[in-house]
Amino acid sequence: MFKKIKRIKNVAVYSDFDWDASVRESGGRISEFKGINIIYGRNYSGKTTLSRIFRSLETGFISDKYISPKFEFELSAGGVVNQDQIPLKQHKVRVFNEDFVRENLKFISNADESIKSFAILGEDNNRLEEEIKLKEEALGSEEDGVGKLGVEKEKKLALGVARKNAQDAQDSLDSKISDKANNKNTGIKHNKIYGEATYNAPKLLKDVETVLDDGFECVSDDESLNLEALLKEEVKAEIDRFYFFEPSFDKLSSRAKDLVEKKISVTQPLIELLEDNLLEDWVRKGRALHEHKRDDCGFCGGALPSGLWSKLDLHFNKESEELRISISSLLFDLQNEIKRAADVPKIDVSSFYASFRVEVLSAEVELNSTLNNYRKSLEKLGAALDARLADIFHPKVYFDVEDYSEVVVAIGEDLNGVVSKSNEFTKTLATEKNKAQKCLRLRDVFRFVMDINLGGEKAKIIALNTCSDDAEREWRESKLEVDVLVRELDKLKAQLKDESKGADRVNVYLNDFFGHKALSLKSEEVETGYKFEVVRNGVKAHHLSEGECSLIAFCYFMAKLHDVETKGHKPVIYIDDPISSLDSNHIFFIFGLINSEIVRSGEFGQLFVSTHNLDFLKYLKRLIPKDVSGKAEERRYFIIETSGDVSSIKLMPGYLKSYVTEFNYLFHQIFKCANAGDAPAESEHDCYYNYGNNARKFLEAFLYYKYPNADEKDSTKLERFFGDDSRSSLLTERIHNEYSHLAGVFERSISPVDVPEMKRSAQFILNKMKEKDADQYSAFMESIGNPVVTF
């Protein structure tokens, strides 16, 4: 509840009130509000203004007549509430003051107006109330976390967490997908290789479905390089077919075999030459240089023998020479074949598209290797022929040599096949590029799927969504239980709500507490609901007295504490001076109503009652509420004091709190005047301004009890009291007449107060009381706390 009003500023008479500086006990400790708080203040001291500050916590509005009003309440549970935080949300506040009366009981100022109606919970159906109580306990409180509302709150919080977890996981995956599709640096959309300027997240999801299909095969790294190269390709010129020589190895080999193995006969061979191939070769070559050319030897110069040429003709016969010529011819053909194999045109790999270059290069390498082997086989044939040529008269064994002709032809055909494919590829280049882009894009998507573990991400999201669905189902079931219970409660409360019962309760208070049998409220149903009217003996009442208006207004307020918005909430209740224009009996009944309906019932959180009436204050001291342990709660008594035009709240003096008589109060005011300084502080001015009235009233009561005759105008009482001290008597009488009555001497109201005269008069009165009756004087001093006397 409320601990204190820390400060009030710019609110009528509270210009700059500071609680901690003003509300202190005798030891200096700062006092605080308690469960019951009684506030005393004279008329116009600021009681209603204080009630308006409290009522702003209820209505959320404070008068616009105040300029920049500021106030701050400190709460017992911690924290503060100021003018910017009204109305108060955490506590119900109900205030009775003239503003409440003006707003709710307009008939007081206008007889044609009615009274605002309200609905209360009927008290005639204990069964319904008990059922409502049980259901409310089952419903519980969301704030306290108990009952079905507490369970629903817990389920709702769990649902929020589950939904957030599922949404966060989905958002994370969506972010990755969106980033992969659209990122300016790494997104597929901005990768020129893929040619997908309109690519987006939905297209990426379709590609994801493709790569997750069982039949999908991702291209390898090497393949991706070829595809990237393909995308760089421009349309190439048509490639001519390769025209290789037709290998003649088979024919050449057959001829070589015949010549190497051929047998020839010699007519009259020269043994030396047959046995010496070098010599025979030397002779054969020398014969060509000498026959028919010279008669002597070109080597030694000796004469050539006669018959030499005939002898040699018999050795080098026609058959051997023809064989020699045939071998030489074949050797020439072999050289031509070797040259043909060496002169195969180079392959221009750059004329092929990148996708065919590996195949072309591979064929080229194989071709070169095969042609090299082919030449070696030809050379082997040549070597066999050279060996026979060197030994022309002796046949040789022929060893078969491997023939590479078919391989050469096959490679040529393969190369021309690649040429055909390359030329054909030109026609489908655009289509192939599209295929390459798709393959590369899907390869990128596949790697993305693997990198983020898409399967695991989806499985996680499915699991989280399942948890979310389960949490939502549990929450809906819990909410359904709450809704059913709330509907049942509303139905039960609807059976109890009855605006006519509001008027009945007001009548109970009027009749039972105040005995007004004739005066009552009548409820009348209208289009907008109900209205209340005051009736006397069944007829609409007019010309109500001020006292009757006050009674009806307060009974209305007390009944309204049972309305459907207040009952059961233990509100903070502030009652401002409810006994205006009431006699002593009614004052007691007002107290009785507060005591029985509020205090003893315990249906309040904190109670504030302010009054200017000392009789009512006397009754209020009997308000003793008890807490749940049965221990009487502590009360606090406060007084509102005015100095000039500024008011402040202080702790009530002991004599006023303990004795509750104006007699003690007046004595205290005289004592304060007698002990004030010659140049009084501003806080002491009011004791001088009010001294005339205070002293007159005190002496009238004091002298009546001391000299109890029936003559109120007996002027000898003052003289008898002061005795021989006529000076004190005359001074006191003068101050009474001049400062407590302004009629006929208006100038006195605008003249400065004569402080020394008043101070001397107050001292005369106190000294004479002490002299006449020391025991009574001592009792008075004790009632005001035995302050120090300074005169």
Side-chain angles (χ1 to χ4, degrees):
M1 296 302 174
F2 298 117
K3 188 175 181 180
K4 56 187 173 181
I5 309 175
K6 293 185 66 175
R7 58 184 56 86
I8 308 173
K9 190 172 184 179
N10 302 329
V11 184
V13 293
Y14 299 99
S15 61
D16 193 9
F17 169 70
D18 185 325
W19 180 281
D20 291 351
S22 180
V23 188
R24 289 181 176 267
E25 298 176 4
S26 57
R29 188 171 70 90
I30 299 171
S31 189
E32 299 172 354
F33 287 135
K34 294 298 179 181
I36 290 183
N37 303 276
I38 310 302
I39 303 170
Y40 174 78
R42 291 194 167 189
N43 287 331
Y44 316 113
S45 61
K47 298 188 304 300
T48 300
T49 300
L50 187 62
S51 73
R52 286 189 174 121
I53 295 174
F54 272 86
R55 194 160 191 263
S56 71
L57 302 176
E58 175 185 359
T59 64
F61 170 79
I62 191 167
S63 175
D64 55 7
K65 304 302 181 183
Y66 303 138
I67 301 175
S68 300
K70 298 182 185 301
F71 58 84
E72 184 176 307
F73 285 81
E74 183 174 335
L75 303 179
S76 301
V80 296
V81 175
N82 60 33
Q83 69 283 344
D84 298 324
Q85 298 167 299
I86 57 175
L88 190 63
K89 302 292 185 183
Q90 57 267 52
H91 299 295
K92 296 283 186 182
V93 178
R94 297 293 181 262
V95 176
F96 175 82
N97 63 4
E98 62 183 43
D99 296 336
F100 170 85
V101 175
R102 185 170 51 253
E103 291 177 15
N104 292 277
L105 296 96
K106 295 181 180 179
F107 82 96
I108 292 177
S109 58
N110 184 351
D112 294 329
E113 292 281 356
S114 59
I115 300 175
K116 186 182 294 185
S117 66
F118 58 88
I120 66 173
L121 296 178
E123 297 180 348
D124 57 344
N125 197 328
N126 293 330
R127 181 188 61 80
L128 286 176
E129 287 189 339
E130 185 63 26
E131 193 172 347
I132 288 173
K133 181 179 179 181
L134 292 174
K135 289 188 180 295
E136 285 179 338
E137 289 176 354
L139 185 62
S141 166
E142 182 178 300
E143 182 178 349
D144 297 333
V146 296
K148 292 189 180 297
L149 280 173
V151 172
E152 189 217 345
K153 179 182 179 182
E154 182 181 347
K155 298 293 184 184
K156 192 172 184 179
L157 291 174
L159 172 59
V161 172
R163 280 179 173 172
K164 185 178 186 304
N165 290 339
Q167 190 60 49
D168 287 349
Q170 185 63 56
D171 290 345
S172 176
L173 178 58
D174 290 345
S175 176
K176 292 175 183 178
I177 289 174
S178 177
D179 188 67
K180 184 60 180 177
N182 302 307
N183 187 278
K184 290 185 177 181
N185 298 319
T186 60
I188 292 176
K189 178 178 181 178
H190 298 282
N191 193 324
K192 294 181 179 179
I193 291 178
Y194 305 139
E196 287 283 353
T198 61
Y199 201 76
N200 54 24
K203 290 184 177 181
L204 175 58
L205 291 175
K206 288 184 178 180
D207 283 346
V208 168
E209 291 179 4
T210 301
V211 302
L212 291 178
D213 188 87
D214 291 339
F216 176 76
E217 292 185 7
C218 183
V219 296
S220 66
D221 291 344
D222 291 339
E223 289 172 330
S224 68
L225 293 175
N226 292 335
L227 292 175
E228 290 177 9
L230 170 63
L231 294 177
K232 298 176 183 178
E233 295 284 9
E234 301 294 337
V235 177
K236 295 185 178 296
E238 186 173 355
I239 304 172
D240 293 334
R241 288 178 58 82
F242 288 102
Y243 290 100
F244 294 136
F245 68 96
E246 294 184 5
S248 303
F249 190 85
D250 185 50
K251 294 179 181 179
L252 295 173
S253 175
S254 178
R255 289 173 58 194
K257 183 175 185 307
D258 290 342
L259 294 177
V260 169
E261 293 178 341
K262 187 174 182 180
K263 295 180 180 181
I264 59 173
S265 60
V266 183
T267 306
Q268 291 183 4
L270 299 174
I271 300 305
E272 294 88 347
L273 297 182
L274 287 176
E275 294 176 352
D276 190 344
N277 292 335
L278 290 176
L279 180 60
E280 181 184 45
D281 184 63
W282 180 79
V283 171
R284 186 176 59 78
K285 290 178 179 178
R287 181 183 179 189
L289 294 172
H290 289 76
E291 188 176 12
H292 305 303
K293 293 180 180 178
R294 50 187 305 163
D295 295 331
D296 55 349
C297 177
F299 176 71
C300 64
L304 297 173
S306 59
L308 176 61
W309 308 118
S310 296
K311 186 186 292 186
L312 292 176
D313 284 338
L314 293 174
H315 182 81
F316 298 104
N317 59 17
K318 180 179 180 181
E319 188 177 5
S320 66
E321 290 305 311
E322 288 178 352
L323 177 58
R324 193 183 299 278
I325 291 171
S326 296
I327 290 174
S328 297
S329 174
L330 181 55
L331 287 172
F332 179 78
D333 291 342
L334 286 175
Q335 288 300 318
N336 285 337
E337 186 72 6
I338 290 173
K339 185 177 181 182
R340 288 174 64 201
D343 292 340
V344 172
K346 296 291 184 181
I347 300 173
D348 184 7
V349 178
S350 64
S351 64
F352 290 85
Y353 291 106
S355 57
F356 300 110
R357 288 175 184 169
V358 172
E359 189 176 358
V360 171
L361 288 172
S362 177
E364 184 181 33
V365 170
E366 186 179 2
L367 176 63
N368 290 334
S369 176
T370 302
L371 288 175
N372 186 50
N373 291 331
Y374 182 73
R375 289 193 298 271
K376 288 181 180 179
S377 292
L378 291 174
E379 289 172 354
K380 288 181 180 179
L381 292 179
L385 290 173
D386 285 338
R388 179 60 193 272
L389 190 61
D391 189 9
I392 196 68
F393 295 106
H394 298 95
K396 303 295 184 183
V397 177
Y398 180 79
F399 295 97
D400 289 334
V401 178
E402 186 172 0
D403 185 1
Y404 290 93
S405 299
E406 291 182 0
V407 180
V408 172
V409 171
I411 293 174
E413 291 175 352
D414 289 343
L415 281 171
N416 281 321
V418 176
V419 168
S420 298
K421 287 192 291 184
S422 182
N423 290 336
E424 188 66 26
F425 187 75
T426 300
K427 302 175 184 178
T428 60
L429 179 59
T431 302
E432 295 300 324
K433 280 188 174 183
N434 289 337
K435 290 180 180 179
Q437 287 176 325
K438 182 177 180 181
C439 287
L440 290 172
R441 187 183 74 245
L442 292 178
R443 176 177 180 270
D444 197 352
V445 172
F446 180 79
R447 295 176 67 178
F448 165 73
V449 167
M450 295 299 106
D451 289 344
I452 68 168
N453 186 20
L454 182 63
E457 290 281 328
K458 287 187 172 181
K460 176 183 176 183
I461 291 172
I462 290 172
L464 290 173
N465 281 327
T466 300
C467 290
S468 177
D469 292 342
D470 292 342
E472 182 172 7
R473 175 179 50 76
E474 293 179 5
W475 169 71
R476 290 190 181 280
E477 291 174 355
S478 178
K479 185 176 185 301
L480 180 60
E481 293 179 2
V482 169
D483 292 343
V484 169
L485 195 53
V486 168
R487 285 195 296 270
E488 292 175 354
L489 272 170
D490 290 342
K491 186 176 180 181
L492 291 171
K493 288 179 179 180
Q495 297 176 44
L496 294 177
K497 285 184 180 180
D498 187 348
E499 292 189 358
S500 66
K501 287 185 172 62
D504 293 343
R505 182 170 284 274
V506 174
N507 294 332
V508 168
Y509 294 150
L510 282 172
N511 297 330
D512 293 354
F513 281 86
F514 300 102
H516 281 274
K517 303 295 183 180
L519 199 64
S520 63
L521 282 191
K522 177 184 177 182
S523 63
E524 180 180 343
E525 191 170 3
V526 294
E527 291 183 5
T528 57
Y530 284 83
K531 70 175 183 178
F532 293 165
E533 288 197 349
V534 182
V535 297
R536 193 191 305 273
N537 296 320
V539 180
K540 183 173 181 178
H542 296 281
H543 307 301
L544 296 174
S545 69
E546 188 174 347
E548 288 175 326
C549 290
S550 296
L551 282 180
I552 292 172
F554 189 69
C555 290
Y556 177 87
F557 173 77
M558 293 298 295
K560 205 169 186 303
L561 292 178
H562 293 267
D563 68 12
V564 294
E565 300 296 329
T566 307
K567 187 173 182 181
H569 292 284
K570 288 187 175 292
V572 173
I573 301 173
Y574 192 110
I575 300 173
D576 176 40
D577 231 347
I579 46 79
S580 175
S581 303
L582 297 178
D583 59 27
S584 58
N585 285 335
H586 285 143
I587 290 174
F588 177 78
F589 290 141
I590 289 284
F591 159 74
L593 188 56
I594 294 173
N595 193 42
S596 64
E597 294 296 294
I598 297 177
V599 178
R600 289 184 179 176
S601 72
E603 291 297 318
F604 71 98
Q606 203 169 16
L607 177 63
F608 296 83
V609 184
S610 63
T611 184
H612 75 289
N613 187 285
L614 290 172
D615 286 335
F616 187 49
L617 180 61
K618 177 179 63 176
Y619 292 128
L620 291 176
K621 67 179 286 188
R622 303 178 187 178
L623 298 175
I624 306 176
K626 295 183 179 180
D627 61 18
V628 292
S629 65
K631 180 182 178 182
E633 289 187 358
E634 188 176 357
R635 292 165 295 170
R636 277 287 184 270
Y637 294 87
F638 301 91
I639 186 170
I640 300 177
E641 292 189 347
T642 303
S643 177
D645 58 353
V646 176
S647 293
S648 62
I649 304 169
K650 296 185 177 181
L651 287 176
M652 187 179 291
Y655 67 84
L656 195 57
K657 180 174 66 173
S658 301
Y659 298 102
V660 198
T661 67
E662 189 174 13
F663 204 28
N664 300 79
Y665 173 77
L666 294 172
F667 176 83
H668 191 203
Q669 296 303 309
I670 294 173
F671 180 87
K672 285 166 61 176
C673 186
N675 286 271
D678 293 333
E682 185 173 338
S683 61
E684 298 172 334
H685 271 294
D686 55 328
C687 78
Y688 292 112
Y689 277 103
N690 296 326
Y691 175 74
N693 274 326
N694 292 337
R696 178 179 57 80
K697 290 172 68 177
F698 176 78
L699 287 174
E700 284 178 355
F702 178 76
L703 294 177
Y704 174 81
Y705 285 106
K706 192 165 185 66
Y707 310 108
N709 62 31
D711 187 358
E712 294 181 1
K713 297 182 179 180
D714 184 359
S715 60
T716 65
K717 292 181 180 181
L718 190 63
E719 295 175 359
R720 291 162 66 187
F721 175 68
F722 281 107
D724 297 334
D725 192 354
S726 59
R727 179 168 169 264
S728 298
S729 175
L730 290 172
L731 175 61
T732 301
E733 186 174 15
R734 173 175 169 252
I735 291 175
H736 292 178
N737 291 331
E738 293 185 5
Y739 286 98
S740 66
H741 301 93
L742 296 180
V745 283
F746 178 72
E747 294 81 1
R748 173 62 63 187
S749 66
I750 58 177
S751 300
V753 174
D754 192 340
V755 172
E757 289 183 357
M758 293 184 180
K759 185 175 180 179
R760 283 196 297 273
S761 172
Q763 291 173 352
F764 290 157
I765 293 171
L766 297 181
N767 286 331
K768 188 56 66 174
M769 287 179 66
K770 187 175 182 181
E771 176 188 331
K772 292 275 188 178
D773 193 338
D775 288 342
Q776 186 183 35
Y777 175 80
S778 178
F780 269 116
M781 290 296 289
E782 185 179 352
S783 75
I784 65 173
N786 285 317
V788 177
V789 178
T790 60
F791 64 90

